[in-house]
Amino acid sequence: MSKNTLTVTDNRTGKTYELPIENDTIKAMDLRQIKVNPDDFGMMTYDPAFTNTASCKSNITYIDGDKGILEYRGIPIQDLAEHSTYLEVAYLLVHGKLPNLTELKDWVKNITLHTFVHENVKKFMEGFRHDAHPMGMMISTLGALSTFYPTSKNIGDPEEIRISTHRLIAKMPTLAAWSYRHLLGMPYVYPDNELSFAGNFLSMMFKVAETRYTPNPAVERALDVLFILHADHEQNCSTNTMRSIGSSQADPYSCVAGATAALYGPLHGGANQAVLEMLDKIGSKDKVPEFIKSCKAGEGRLMGFGHRVYKNYDPRAKIIKKLADEVFDALGRNPKIEIALEIERIALSDDYFVQRKLYPNVDFYSGLIYEALRIPMDMFTVLFAIPRTAGWIAQWAEMLNDKDQKIARPRQVYLGARGQNYVPVRDRK
Ligand code: ACO
């Protein structure tokens, strides 16, 4: 009869250990009993970058990378992208279920009421250098928000968590748009609470002298769908940072500042920019075969292709590809799309990419849409951070309620020197 255990034999001692299996995992701490001598520390696992370590149990986002499945709280991303709005999805992530009509109205009202920031926030944003990168401005300003809401550090108080959740989701677009206006040297635009979440963001980005900015409905919807697609992606680098900082019981503004910093890196939030640069470098459709040949020869990577988890078409990329057509119908075709489509056509029928299961990822088409929306490259990662805030908060709140969690504190394998003598500086060679 099969048993839900794993038997491990330590060949150093000949001893056998039976470890319980739960949810297809063993507890790393169960290995600690494996010792050669009673005073040994015990066995650990070595897993740089946590490539095969589950750091938590979660009920928020499900990914099956082989089948190309992504679900938030069990609902397929395709259904959410087609039928939902970003704010409804944010509620779903944070509360674990879709809201009824009254809950949705209250939620939207609460988020909308918190879009404004203290005037002093505006003042210190104005103090950044004229060409400050918007992500740098976001990280610092988010950290500074914790000084405006000192009681937010009472993370045991559900009311504090509730209000910080509303504030963070609501204020991200305001800070994001202002960091962009700063780059342009244009006056910051205050939120327009009559507009939708995405519409208000577009207004704060692009309003000039008109009394009221009217967003193009196709652009507003496209942005909202992009927000839905980027709202969560389980234990990625920035979410792991959010949980890690949160595990020390820091306030949520400091946690989101740290998560935003993790997202800033080109390996995480910056790949769509690399795709546009690659398309610019290729220049025209007829140069694609030559470029693909160079990638296969190891002279560079096909940016926007491949994923650590998805070994199939990234489900978000499929939705974005369709969205790109809708945006181009409304705003005109981005000429780079022809190069992108040719890359996809050739790569998906090429043995090199097929054998390695390299498919377009979320970043392959998103940059083309942002470009069509007249959003500059420096803002791409900021546009990722706005919706990911809902995921970060949901993951952080889940961690706070998880009795298994403690302060994050990995172990190390120490390979350095021991027992060295301290030599005074005058005696050193
Ligand atoms: N172009 C060409 N070859 C590639 C690519 C690519 N984009 N991606 C992987 N390969 C090849 C590798 O050279 C390797 O080949 P080999 O077995 O002959 O050595 C094989 O495929 C496996 O590659 P790994 O680097 O081991 O795959 P990993 O899962 O570690 O990397 C990653 C995933 C980083 C996304 C990679 O595919 C890549 O660099 N892609 C391009 C950058 C990109 O689009 N990043 C965005 C990811 S989505 C996101 O972060 C939101």
Side-chain angles (χ1 to χ4, degrees), residues 267-269 271 275 295 300-309 311 314 316 352-353 356 358 361-363 384:
L267 292 187
H268 190 5
V275 172
C295 290
R301 289 208 160 181
L302 194 50
M303 298 313 289
F305 262 69
H307 196 277
R308 172 62 60 77
V309 178
K311 300 301 170 197
D314 181 336
R316 299 167 299 174
Y352 175 96
F353 295 92
R356 288 169 179 76
L358 301 170
N361 60 46
V362 67
D363 290 316
F384 193 154

Side-chain angles (χ1 to χ4, degrees), residues 320-332:
I320 292 181
K321 189 177 173 187
K322 196 164 151 265
L323 200 62
D325 280 334
E326 289 164 22
V327 171
F328 297 159
D329 284 347
L331 301 177

Side-chain angles (χ1 to χ4, degrees), residues 173-243:
T174 311
L175 303 183
W178 287 7
S179 65
Y180 170 65
R181 301 286 289 206
H182 185 85
L183 198 62
L184 297 187
M186 289 179 72
Y188 301 175
V189 177
Y190 285 103
D192 180 344
N193 287 348
E194 298 298 311
L195 295 174
S196 71
F197 187 83
N200 171 48
F201 176 62
L202 289 166
S203 165
M204 292 187 289
M205 289 275 288
F206 298 123
K207 186 170 183 285
V208 187
E210 61 271 47
T211 320
R212 163 159 277 166
Y213 177 88
T214 312
N216 176 322
V219 172
E220 190 179 358
R221 178 64 191 155
L223 195 58
D224 206 51
V225 173
L226 286 166
F227 285 167
I228 292 172
L229 300 180
H230 286 89
D232 196 51
H233 211 232
E234 51 120 307
Q235 306 312 312
N236 53 81
C237 177
S238 57
T239 302
N240 182 53
T241 306
M242 179 84 192
R243 282 179 174 261

Side-chain angles (χ1 to χ4, degrees), residues 279-280 282-285 288 335-344 364:
L279 297 177
D280 276 337
I282 297 173
S284 60
K285 198 173 148 181
V288 170
K336 290 185 196 127
I337 186 77
E338 304 305 337
I339 307 174
L341 289 171
E342 183 68 355
I343 291 177
E344 181 180 335
F364 192 61

Side-chain angles (χ1 to χ4, degrees), residues 94 164-165 168-169 242 256 389-398:
V94 169
S164 293
T165 301
L168 274 161
I169 293 173
M242 179 84 192
V256 171
T389 303
W392 288 333
I393 292 171
Q395 300 271 352
W396 168 76
E398 186 178 67

